[in-house]
Amino acid sequence: MTTRRSIKYILPIIFSILLISCVEKYWPELNSTGNNLLVVDGMITNQPGPYIIKLSLTSPIDTIMQRPATNYRVEIFDDQGNSEALEEIQDGIYSTSTNGIQGVIGRKYRIDINGPKGQNYATDLVELLPPTQIKSFYPMIESKTTLESETENIGYQFYIDTHEPSTDSTYYLWRLVQTYEYHSDYTADYIMKAGDSILRETTVEEAKSYAKCWLTEEVMQIFTYNTTILSSSTLNQFPLNFVNTTTRALSVRYSLLVNQLTINKSAYNFWNSIERMNSEQGSMYTRQPYQIRGNLYNVDHPDEVVLGYFLVAGSDSQRVFVNRLPKPYNYYYDICVPNEADTQRTTNFWWRFTESGILPDYDKIFNYHGMYGIFLPNPICIDCTLKGGVNIKPDFWIDE
């Protein structure tokens, strides 16, 4: 199987970055015209909703930033006369209702987007294809060289096997969401909250709330494939995500959700182009660039560049859990160790509090650690939520 390399941290701005190719038209004025372009990311599948559509506007390309596109009207239609207007649940994020429109295999769907300044964007009707069922989704312990490091890193490589698809020529896009449990380096044995005048021991529940978190995030890596070149249309041991021991992802327990999307050739060409761009990024032999155009267009101004894609796809999904790699495998993520800065921070705190009685605006969590006595570490070492996760266990989470 072909080895896949792609940049791990791909921002949605990918839709406006230059693709390395010479096939399509070259856009030499991208830096000056690439501002305030609409970017669309969303889909409808045969899986139950709600369905999410994300809208954003590009900033100048050298900033690598996007801004939420707010106050738009987004509506999904099918070819049977059904439709639903989506609700903006966060800035730039639009959602169908729980009991709203449902994707049905064989029906066709399109999207209409109306902007606050009278813009009218749309897609053509696209058929929702039957999904190819996942036969197996599983990890294997492997050692690989990643783009982030020139050394071999141990970790889990995830593979997927499929059942026989409904047609010989099938186009796939895989989207992955990872969730992992991680713990803080120190236990919150003592706590002094802003506004309190005493240092007290934490309760068992308080200590747990700071110590254990779960982080869920999309895997910002693109995986596509098509079976037109295969003698057999089933896939066996097809490689997807690789996660290693250089981060906290495998420090306790890890879960990966795969969504296998069966798409049409047009959608495949779009996502495969982005995947190829990522794998070729930085090559010495780069070819002339062009913008990647999706399936959206401005109804009134067809020449306007609209970025992104509205997917209509058959979907099957599976989730897998793995535990921390057993010994003798080593981990290489940073951990907190008591140091002189912690001692000085504690000294400064007690001096300020003794002299003025003033506490900082945020909660101060202390830790008792043997020979160091009571000391005040960097908050990120003791409050796991400061690393981006939440201290509420996900509904789908299964403990070891």
Side-chain angles (χ1 to χ4, degrees), residues 42-45 47-54 74-77 82-90 93-103 109-111 310:
M43 63 181 170
I44 184 170
T45 73
Q47 300 276 13
Y51 306 114
I52 300 295
I53 308 295
K54 299 178 182 178
V74 181
E75 195 165 5
I76 296 176
F77 297 83
N82 303 303
S83 66
E84 181 180 359
L86 282 67
E87 177 185 0
E88 187 172 7
I89 57 175
Q90 297 180 37
I93 300 179
Y94 301 79
S95 175
T96 61
S97 62
T98 303
N99 299 316
I101 193 169
Q102 167 71 55
Y109 296 87
R110 66 180 179 87
I111 191 172
F310 173 64

Side-chain angles (χ1 to χ4, degrees), residues 212-223:
K212 182 186 295 187
C213 284
W214 293 262
L215 179 63
T216 297
E217 58 188 2
E218 294 182 20
V219 174
M220 303 306 289
Q221 194 172 349
I222 298 167
F223 302 93

Side-chain angles (χ1 to χ4, degrees), residues 122-143:
T123 64
D124 296 328
L125 286 166
V126 178
E127 182 180 354
L128 200 160
L129 300 174
T132 300
Q133 300 300 311
I134 298 171
K135 183 177 181 180
S136 183
F137 181 48
Y138 51 95
M140 296 180 67
I141 298 176
E142 296 184 8
S143 181

Side-chain angles (χ1 to χ4, degrees), residues 293-348:
R293 301 290 292 267
N295 62 342
L296 291 110
Y297 55 88
N298 187 316
V299 176
D300 302 313
H301 303 282
D303 291 336
E304 179 182 340
V305 176
V306 186
L307 304 175
Y309 211 95
F310 173 64
L311 275 170
V312 179
S315 170
D316 189 31
S317 60
Q318 279 193 24
R319 179 181 293 280
V320 65
F321 287 86
V322 295
N323 292 322
R324 178 184 175 95
L325 284 166
K327 293 180 178 181
Y329 300 119
N330 296 317
Y331 283 74
Y332 301 98
Y333 55 84
D334 292 334
I335 62 173
C336 298
V337 177
N339 55 38
E340 184 177 346
D342 294 332
T343 302
Q344 187 61 48
R345 191 183 295 113
T346 306
T347 301
N348 292 342

Side-chain angles (χ1 to χ4, degrees), residues 123-181:
T123 64
D124 296 328
L125 286 166
V126 178
E127 182 180 354
L128 200 160
L129 300 174
T132 300
Q133 300 300 311
I134 298 171
K135 183 177 181 180
S136 183
F137 181 48
Y138 51 95
M140 296 180 67
I141 298 176
E142 296 184 8
S143 181
K144 291 191 174 185
T145 301
T146 64
L147 289 177
E148 295 81 10
S149 173
E150 296 181 356
T151 59
E152 289 282 316
N153 290 307
I154 199 74
Y156 285 110
Q157 171 65 59
F158 292 86
Y159 293 96
I160 196 166
D161 301 340
T162 69
H163 285 288
E164 189 77 22
S166 58
T167 61
D168 291 337
S169 298
T170 304
Y171 299 92
Y172 292 112
L173 169 67
W174 289 274
R175 285 192 165 179
L176 302 157
V177 178
Q178 63 181 3
T179 302
Y180 59 89
E181 178 183 333

